[in-house]
């Protein structure tokens, strides 16, 4: 079946760099997305990788390796406001149709 | 503010009842997606509509149904409610059918409590 795995929790200090990994198992892969969700809030889109390599958007970067079924989100110069849950998601296109699958999320705690 | 609106914000009802959740997408967006998020859980994709037609389907229960109207707003109907249906229901929209960069804009959600 289809699944995504990511660590449940990561802790880092302000100013540090943190990497959140995501491994996926799908049959009809169409791309890996990352979303941020603060407690009580709605998910917000961070990045999308359809091809192998690194995508950079300000302090956040996302990487994809399709051959390894693996991706990661890299957060640099951590700030307290980055404390949130981060979800990886795929658009899985098996069985002639597709659906969206989200990981269970990684809770990032940024310490002062 | 994502531009996606959802009503109501909160809904409290009893088991066995039926409720309707409403979503208005961002201006110009043709796709609407529905997700369920239970306490401390990830997002479970329910269904996607594109320009009025069902485009993708997740693990949506038979007790649940959705539709997208000509003005592109969407409604999610939940019937024969059970305690386990208590969750946050998000609607998202995008300007594409889903084959492009996959960016979805989420509304603030409707918190459903079934007693």
């Amino acid at each position: 079946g289809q699944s995504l795995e990511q660590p449940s929790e990561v802790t880092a200090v302000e100013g540090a760099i943190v990497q959140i990994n995501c491994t996926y198992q799908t049959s009809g892969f169409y791309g890996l997305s990352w979303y941020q969700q603060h407690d009580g809030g709605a998910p917000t889109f961070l990045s999308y990788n359809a091809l192998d390599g690194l995508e950079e958007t300000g302090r956040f970067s996302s990487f994809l390796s399709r051959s390894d079924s693996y991706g990661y989100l890299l957060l640099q110069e951590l700030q307290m406001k980055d404390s949130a849950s981060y979800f990886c998601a795929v658009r899985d296109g098996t069985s002639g149709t597709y659906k969206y699958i989200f990981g269970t999320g990684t809770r990032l705690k940024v310490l002062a | 503010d994502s531009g996606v609106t959802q009503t109501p914000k909160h809904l409290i009802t009893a088991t066995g009842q039926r409720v309707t959740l409403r979503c208005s997408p961002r201006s110009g967006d043709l796709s609407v997606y529905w997700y369920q998020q239970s306490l401390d859980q990830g997002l479970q994709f329910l269904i996607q509509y594109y320009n009025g037609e069902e485009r993708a389907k997740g693990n949506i229960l038979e007790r649940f149904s959705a539709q997208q109207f000509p003005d592109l707003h969407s409604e999610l109907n939940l019937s024969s409610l059970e305690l386990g249906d208590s969750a946050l229901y998000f609607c998202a929209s995008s300007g594409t059918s889903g084959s492009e960069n996959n960016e979805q804009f989420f509304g603030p959600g409707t918190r459903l409590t079934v007693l």
Side-chain angles (χ1 to χ4, degrees):
Chain A
Q2 307 91 17
S3 67
L4 290 90
E5 290 190 11
Q6 49 181 132
S8 59
E9 191 171 298
V10 173
T11 302
V13 297
E14 258 189 311
I17 299 173
V18 71
Q19 179 174 312
I20 299 174
N21 299 321
C22 175
T23 58
Y24 59 87
Q25 183 176 5
T26 64
S27 297
F29 178 77
Y30 285 89
L32 182 71
S33 300
W34 288 92
Y35 286 82
Q36 177 192 61
Q37 185 179 28
H38 287 96
D39 286 346
T44 55
F45 174 83
L46 293 176
S47 68
Y48 173 71
N49 294 68
L51 303 175
D52 291 353
L54 190 69
E55 295 279 345
E56 298 181 69
T57 308
R59 295 187 297 114
F60 293 0
S61 303
S62 58
F63 171 82
L64 176 65
S65 169
R66 288 175 297 171
S67 61
D68 296 322
S69 298
Y70 163 76
Y72 66 72
L73 180 69
L74 190 72
L75 298 87
Q76 304 181 71
E77 301 173 17
L78 281 175
Q79 302 176 9
M80 296 296 290
K81 67 178 182 179
D82 297 329
S83 292
S85 290
Y86 293 83
F87 296 90
C88 57
V90 296
R91 178 172 167 254
D92 177 45
T94 59
S95 305
T97 183
Y98 62 85
K99 58 183 179 180
Y100 296 88
I101 305 171
F102 279 69
T104 52
T106 298
R107 182 175 288 272
L108 171 63
K109 294 182 180 178
V110 180
L111 306 177
Chain B
D1 185 355
S2 67
V4 178
T5 60
Q6 289 186 249
T7 56
K9 287 186 177 180
H10 302 277
L11 196 50
I12 301 175
T13 188
T15 54
Q17 296 297 305
R18 172 189 171 95
V19 296
T20 297
L21 312 184
R22 182 187 170 101
C23 169
S24 292
R26 292 189 320 157
S27 177
D29 281 359
L30 299 178
S31 276
V32 169
Y33 312 76
W34 286 98
Y35 293 88
Q36 178 192 60
Q37 186 174 39
S38 302
L39 190 64
D40 293 330
Q41 295 295 310
L43 289 152
Q44 299 295 318
F45 170 67
L46 297 178
I47 198 163
Q48 176 199 359
Y49 280 84
Y50 176 73
N51 203 20
E53 295 190 1
E54 183 181 304
R55 188 63 182 248
K57 201 167 186 176
N59 298 324
I60 186 168
L61 299 173
E62 286 191 9
R63 300 184 287 109
F64 295 1
S65 65
Q67 54 183 327
Q68 186 179 28
F69 295 86
D71 67 352
L72 300 178
H73 91 271
S74 178
E75 294 181 356
L76 178 67
N77 301 295
L78 315 175
S79 62
S80 303
L81 284 168
E82 302 175 358
L83 295 178
D85 297 328
S86 295
L88 197 52
Y89 290 84
F90 286 106
C91 166
S93 75
S94 72
T96 68
S97 62
S99 59
E100 288 81 20
N101 76 356
N102 229 34
E103 180 172 4
Q104 297 178 25
F105 297 86
F106 281 75
T110 293
R111 181 167 294 283
L112 173 66
T113 302
V114 182
L115 301 176

